[in-house]
Amino acid sequence: MQRREFIKRSLAGLTGAGSLLATSSQFNLVNAATNTNSFTDYKALVCVFLLGGNDSLNMLIPTDNPGYQAYAATRQNLAVPLEQIINLQSAAYGSAFGLHPSLAPMADLFNSGAASFVANVGTLIEPVDKTRILNGRALLPPQLFSHSDQQNHWQSGIPQDPALTGWAGRMADLLGDSQAALSMNLSLAGSNLWQTGNQVLPFALGPQGADAIVGLNPEHDWLNQNAGFLDRIHTGADTLFAREYRQIVDRTRRTGELVNTSLMLAPELQTLFPATSLAQQLQTVAKMIAVQQHLNQPRQVFFVAMGGWDTHDNQLIDQPLLLAELAGGLQAFYQATEELGLAQQVTTFTASDFGRTLTSNGDGTDHGWGGHQIVVGGAVNGGDIVGTMPALTLDSNDDMGDGRIIPTLAVDQYAATLARWYGLSESQLHEILPNLQNFASADLGFMA
Amino acid sequence: MSACGGGQEAANNTTSATSPPVAVTPVAAPTPAEASRFLLQTSFGPTPESIEAVSEAGYSQWIEQQFQLPVAEHLPLLNSTFPEPEIYAHHWVETWWQQSVRAEDQLRQRVAFALSEIFVISTHDTRISGDPRGVASYYDTLLAHSFGNFRDLLEAVTLHPMMGMYLSMLGNEKPDADRNIRPDENFAREVMQLFTIGLVELNPDGTVKLDQNGQPIPTYDQTIIKGFAHVFTGWNFAGRSQWWEDNYDGVSPMQAYAAFHDEGEKMLLNGEVLPAGQDAYTDLTAALDNLFYHDNVPPFIARQLIQRLVTSNPSPAYVARVASRFADNGHGVRGDMQAVIRAILLDDSARLSDEQDTGKLRNPLLRLAHLMRVFNSSARDGGMGHEFIDYNIGLSPLGAPSVFNFYRPDYSLPGEIRVAGLSSPEFQITNEISVTRYMNHVYSMVEFNSLRGSVIVEDDVGILDFSALTARSDDPDALVDYLDLMLLAGTMDEEMRSTLLDVIAYWQQRSESAPSWVMMANLVYLTGVSPQFAVQN
């Protein structure tokens, strides 16, 4: 710890990087950021991806008598004790389902109408049922239960093709974002498929925003020629890989400055964010939202990721910590959007590789299929559970085997509901989600 | 060909009939530039000494010499450097730098690093980061088998308690129907998907095999996963008299506990069924053999090792040549790592410069290690510094976000690379924030040079030694030649050369007002952050 601070201090002292002030030329850069699409309002979509596969069957739990008995009998040593479950009152299910005790902040959001749950969403190509699966007549996504393939399906929406672009990337392509100085797709978790389009690429932010490139600082006497020297070196880099690397560096130099300069204009938020990785990412998202006008971004899409959900073992210890971090982050972020007066314009949703097996492997669960998701925001029809909760008895019609739950809603339907709110037309929805036509409804109704 | 004279054609036919379709080793001694390029593939970066060694021995002999060197293990160094009982993951990173940058057995260290990106455990898991000695022991396991046999490597990795914890085979029990408990599928799934055969059937050249409908053929289904999950039951920490005791041993191979091993039949790959009633170790060795002899293993492993050492886009023919050496080293032995390494490094595809080849983007850890080697980086306390590298650049050895490593072998950067249908794994972690953090780390390295001997630098901060550059400061061409040979394997383009000469001229003009270290720091910085340095061709 001491070392890190020392390094930071000495860098700042020697180069002035820590006191980088916005110069007039940098403000001009902000103004030069142009966007070709013509939105008159502002909206942001925030994806919180739970890497590894969240055991959401322990997130939303039956509390009525036959329901809880079935859950406890199947889950055995992994079941949450009935008395610990937080009661919820939903329009669709009354008091039949409650929340894991570590999700108390989620209960507050739910009860205040700022959050809902979407039940049993999963990767599908077409609607399926157990009979057709057992008969071998169902068209199933390839490589079910594989992390990489199922993450790709959630993010691409086109499992039948190689995973090259994601639905948020194609959405940005459609909205003409490739002409903008700064991509509308902003990632707090590095490169990702979801935000990659045919033209649009995500811009990767660090947990604190964009860092300045110290060694090219134009205001430092010993470094002020370096940018020009590097430009010249770049012209010589002419192999394919070197050219691509050069382009990433050049894009960073152009847009990093724009982001840094804009973030310096962000208001000091009163909302306290927990000191967790997720909350820190969401705090930077909140700042980027706060300066969207300076960035000239009437539409923003954020990708935030949280690891550790692959609870093959130690689940009773690990998952409560993960759920607490998730709920704490979501609550603080929602409060920040309220503070900014933008709660109606920001929608946050979860996604995850897959749900997990109802059965235990002793002290954890294995890769499943369908799972529940969370949506938060002022524009969410809050306080409800949307969709059909699955039966939790083994070998039920919802069970593909060992308690791997067959999804009743498709990722495509979930995505379309969010993308429609974001501003896509009916035809554009089908353009970015080609399998959407296979499902009964393109709008699950959880957005106002 | 028809234009060729008859005699020449006949001679060609004779040659092709008698010589095997494998590598043609150049006879002439490698030039310094060729040696430097070879060392980009076979070490953590060339140095004046290693360039001379390769030039003298030739490629093949140098490899054989490296095979004979004693293993520079990480755990003993970690224990002697940090004897205190309570140590953290960054202590392991410190000794990883020391061995990777300084050890004599560079080829083994480099191959083990490649293996650490296939057989992934990660300090992102607190149980792993909580036992740095266990992590070092796991890395030593990779080192120990880098020049051995792949089958032994697979078994040693499978039974290492750090892998046992990371993919939860440790503590995995036989089914308990009354409690709806069935075996954990984590290791069973990933040992197939990531460590041996992959998701779909491959041709011997690594291309995907297609069925009659043009679709890939899955290598396994849930039944096979369950079979392997049942195999890997009954293992726990060594040294317990009973399963439930709580003594911990993060170094010794896991031990079998008969009462917790499932003794039923198990369905494996290719229709093999393990009979009921076998003990845990018999089941395990049979299952690992079942994987080891699967036709996918040679191309699956060969392609990834080539990607880690030589190029992101090996031709199918290159993969096939290496895979065939994996399948049979020429003496009927499968999985001989030395034969595989020779086949990768002595192949024409590795040795001859080919403008059609993409080469590879180098992992930032390799780039930083290269700078440290060339400029003898050292802290006053004798260490390397840079142990908080994960904090600085978001990357550390055995520190991937998940078992899927930092990047996937088939990641293809959108744009020209993707349009051309090429793979570019390391580009998956190359974005605005990662290039900034890498550039700033290089900057901090060159900047600390200015503080050599100064009291404001703590004893454990690594400092580069620019004396080889200073010795050439009166001869700008020699200075740039040195940077070219040491950092770019003699491939520096004219634009870069003239720019660096202008950098020198600029700082010579300012020699009255600027300290002498500034010129060297900026030369190394500009070279170290250049695309030319980032990409290995």
Side-chain angles (χ1 to χ4, degrees), chain A residues 1-4 6-8 10-11 14-15 73-77 143-149 160 163-165 189-191 193 196-198 201-207 209-216 220-230 232-249 251-253 255 310 312-314 318 357-367 394 401-402 404, chain B residues 127 164-165 168 170 172-173 178-186 189-190 193 199-200 218 220 222 226 312-313 358-361 367 385-388 391-392 404 408 411 413-418 420 422-424 427-433 435-440 443-444 447-448 450-451 456-458 460-461 493 495-496 498-500 502-503 506-507 510 513-515 517-518 522 525-527 529-532 534-535 537:
Chain A
M1 227 35 197
Q2 203 185 342
R3 268 289 301 293
R4 296 174 189 174
F6 165 74
I7 290 172
K8 277 203 232 168
S10 69
L11 282 179
L14 288 166
T15 66
T74 306
R75 282 242 125 164
Q76 296 275 335
N77 60 333
Q143 307 294 355
L144 282 174
F145 322 128
S146 150
H147 284 295
S148 48
D149 295 82
Q160 58 270 47
L164 298 179
T165 60
S191 316
L193 179 63
T196 301
N198 289 303
L201 284 172
F203 180 92
L205 292 156
D211 296 340
I213 300 176
V214 179
L216 305 179
H220 192 289
D221 184 36
W222 293 342
L223 306 173
N224 61 7
Q225 301 298 311
N226 278 353
F229 286 136
L230 187 60
R232 286 178 54 193
I233 289 172
H234 274 187
T235 61
D238 65 355
T239 66
L240 173 59
F241 275 26
R243 280 200 311 274
E244 292 292 324
Y245 186 84
R246 178 187 81 196
Q247 281 179 22
I248 295 170
V249 172
R251 190 168 75 230
T252 303
R253 291 165 67 190
T255 41
D310 194 19
H312 286 279
D313 60 357
N314 221 26
D318 291 345
T357 55
L358 264 172
T359 51
S360 160
N361 62 33
D363 61 348
T365 49
D366 290 293
H367 305 181
L394 284 184
D402 295 328
R404 290 171 227 271
Chain B
R127 291 164 308 174
M165 287 196 291
S168 56
L170 189 146
N172 185 23
E173 297 177 36
D178 290 345
R179 295 161 64 216
N180 286 338
I181 288 174
R182 42 165 192 79
D184 188 313
E185 296 169 356
N186 200 8
R189 180 180 299 279
E190 309 309 359
Q193 181 170 350
L199 289 170
V200 294
Y220 53 83
Q222 190 59 28
K226 284 188 177 186
S312 297
N313 293 284
T358 58
K360 70 193 291 281
L361 178 63
R367 285 180 247 161
H386 309 283
E387 70 270 36
F388 293 107
Y391 174 85
N392 292 310
F404 288 79
R408 301 302 308 133
Y411 176 76
L413 182 73
E416 222 181 310
I417 290 175
R418 184 174 285 183
L422 295 166
S423 298
S424 54
F427 274 99
Q428 195 173 346
I429 54 162
T430 307
N431 53 49
E432 293 82 358
I433 191 67
V435 298
T436 303
R437 293 169 83 185
Y438 168 77
M439 291 171 84
N440 286 350
Y443 184 74
S444 73
E447 187 198 39
F448 278 124
S450 68
L451 304 174
I456 52 168
V457 175
E458 290 174 24
D460 61 350
V461 172
D493 55 87
E495 194 60 46
M496 185 164 183
S498 73
T499 307
L500 293 181
D502 286 351
V503 173
Y506 176 80
W507 289 107
R510 291 190 56 186
S513 63
W517 69 270
V518 176
N522 279 327
Y525 173 73
L526 288 166
T527 310
V529 303
S530 69
Q532 290 89 329
V535 174
N537 280 106

Side-chain angles (χ1 to χ4, degrees), chain A residues 20 49 54 77 135 147 177 187 189 215 229 262 271 293 373 388:
Chain A
L20 185 73
F49 206 101
N54 174 25
N77 60 333
N135 289 343
H147 284 295
D177 192 54
S187 173
F229 286 136
S262 301
T271 303
Q293 284 184 315
Q373 303 300 338
T388 310

Side-chain angles (χ1 to χ4, degrees), chain B residues 100-134:
Chain B
S100 301
V101 170
R102 294 175 180 163
E104 287 297 315
D105 61 338
Q106 279 290 304
L107 179 59
R108 186 190 291 269
Q109 299 288 332
R110 179 68 195 270
V111 170
F113 183 57
L115 293 172
S116 79
E117 297 196 57
I118 299 172
F119 297 98
V120 173
I121 64 168
S122 174
T123 52
H124 276 226
D125 182 325
T126 53
R127 291 164 308 174
I128 306 301
S129 63
D131 184 4
R133 296 182 213 283

Side-chain angles (χ1 to χ4, degrees), chain A residues 172-381:
Chain A
D173 283 344
L174 268 183
L175 297 175
D177 192 54
S178 59
Q179 302 307 311
L182 176 64
S183 175
M184 79 163 63
N185 285 349
L186 302 159
S187 173
L188 275 290
S191 316
N192 66 82
L193 179 63
W194 181 56
Q195 294 180 310
T196 301
N198 289 303
Q199 287 93 41
V200 171
L201 284 172
F203 180 92
L205 292 156
Q208 310 299 328
D211 296 340
I213 300 176
V214 179
L216 305 179
N217 185 350
E219 293 167 28
H220 192 289
D221 184 36
W222 293 342
L223 306 173
N224 61 7
Q225 301 298 311
N226 278 353
F229 286 136
L230 187 60
D231 283 338
R232 286 178 54 193
I233 289 172
H234 274 187
T235 61
D238 65 355
T239 66
L240 173 59
F241 275 26
R243 280 200 311 274
E244 292 292 324
Y245 186 84
R246 178 187 81 196
Q247 281 179 22
I248 295 170
V249 172
D250 285 342
R251 190 168 75 230
T252 303
R253 291 165 67 190
R254 282 195 310 271
T255 41
E257 199 176 344
L258 165 64
V259 171
N260 277 326
T261 315
S262 301
L263 279 176
M264 274 182 270
L265 305 171
E268 196 70 39
L269 286 166
Q270 299 304 308
T271 303
L272 288 178
F273 281 83
T276 62
S277 161
L278 176 69
Q280 294 305 303
Q281 294 180 62
L282 288 170
Q283 185 171 29
T284 299
V285 171
K287 287 182 186 167
M288 289 294 286
I289 287 172
V291 297
Q292 53 89 6
Q293 284 184 315
H294 300 289
L295 294 166
N296 193 17
Q297 289 194 302
R299 286 292 186 276
Q300 293 177 315
V301 175
F302 295 93
F303 183 74
V304 170
M306 180 180 169
W309 296 88
D310 194 19
T311 48
H312 286 279
D313 60 357
N314 221 26
Q315 175 165 319
L316 287 176
I317 307 292
D318 291 345
Q319 203 202 8
L321 299 173
L322 295 165
L323 292 173
E325 178 171 346
L326 174 63
L330 291 177
Q331 184 184 44
F333 180 66
Y334 178 74
Q335 274 176 20
T337 61
E338 279 191 313
E339 184 185 335
L340 292 168
L342 293 169
Q344 297 285 331
Q345 285 133 282
V346 179
T347 300
T348 307
F349 68 97
T350 60
S352 195
D353 317 15
F354 32 62
R356 306 188 72 83
T357 55
L358 264 172
T359 51
S360 160
N361 62 33
D363 61 348
T365 49
D366 290 293
H367 305 181
W369 192 3
H372 313 313
Q373 303 300 338
I374 302 171
V375 282
V376 183
V380 170
N381 289 324

Side-chain angles (χ1 to χ4, degrees), chain B residues 353-367:
Chain B
S353 237
D354 176 4
E355 286 187 4
Q356 297 303 308
D357 191 340
T358 58
K360 70 193 291 281
L361 178 63
R362 297 196 291 159
N363 181 320
L365 292 173
L366 288 174
R367 285 180 247 161

Side-chain angles (χ1 to χ4, degrees), chain B residues 221-296:
Chain B
D221 60 15
Q222 190 59 28
T223 315
I224 309 289
I225 300 260
K226 284 188 177 186
F228 277 89
H230 283 73
V231 166
F232 298 123
T233 50
W235 296 88
N236 214 318
F237 288 116
R240 294 180 173 186
S241 58
Q242 291 184 60
W243 179 263
W244 294 112
E245 281 180 9
D246 67 352
N247 67 312
Y248 172 94
D249 182 343
V251 171
S252 307
M254 292 188 288
Q255 179 181 314
Y257 295 79
F260 294 86
H261 177 66
D262 175 67
E263 292 193 340
E265 281 191 353
K266 288 124 187 152
M267 173 71 83
L268 304 182
L269 295 159
N270 295 325
E272 185 178 344
V273 177
L274 293 182
Q278 299 199 128
D279 68 31
Y281 187 68
T282 306
D283 267 357
L284 181 127
T285 51
L288 295 183
D289 281 342
N290 179 256
L291 289 170
F292 178 60
Y293 287 101
H294 191 283
D295 287 344
N296 269 26

Side-chain angles (χ1 to χ4, degrees), chain A residues 23-173:
Chain A
T23 62
S24 57
S25 68
Q26 285 168 320
F27 277 117
N28 288 340
L29 238 180
V30 176
N31 295 333
T34 53
N35 206 318
T36 54
N37 53 58
S38 54
F39 291 102
T40 52
D41 59 349
Y42 170 76
K43 279 181 182 175
L45 207 47
V46 184
C47 172
V48 176
F49 206 101
L50 310 179
L51 297 164
N54 174 25
D55 184 15
S56 52
L57 298 171
N58 259 14
M59 185 171 88
L60 208 51
I61 309 164
T63 49
D64 63 332
N65 195 27
Y68 185 80
Q69 293 310 321
Y71 162 80
T74 306
R75 282 242 125 164
Q76 296 275 335
N77 60 333
L78 295 180
V80 177
L82 181 60
E83 64 274 15
Q84 292 180 13
I85 298 172
I86 303 169
N87 288 314
L88 289 183
Q89 191 70 36
S90 69
Y93 291 94
S95 59
F97 293 95
L99 271 187
H100 189 285
S102 298
L103 288 171
M106 273 310 304
D108 295 342
L109 290 172
F110 184 92
N111 292 331
S112 69
S116 278
F117 296 95
V118 185
N120 198 15
V121 190
T123 53
L124 292 171
I125 295 173
E126 59 174 22
V128 295
D129 59 40
K130 188 169 179 176
T131 313
R132 288 182 47 221
I133 292 174
L134 293 180
N135 289 343
R137 284 171 43 220
L139 181 58
L140 295 178
Q143 307 294 355
L144 282 174
F145 322 128
S146 150
H147 284 295
S148 48
D149 295 82
Q150 298 310 298
Q151 284 177 6
N152 283 350
H153 186 154
W154 264 93
Q155 298 186 20
S156 83
I158 313 182
Q160 58 270 47
D161 290 343
L164 298 179
T165 60
W167 60 265
R170 298 191 295 273
M171 186 162 79
D173 283 344

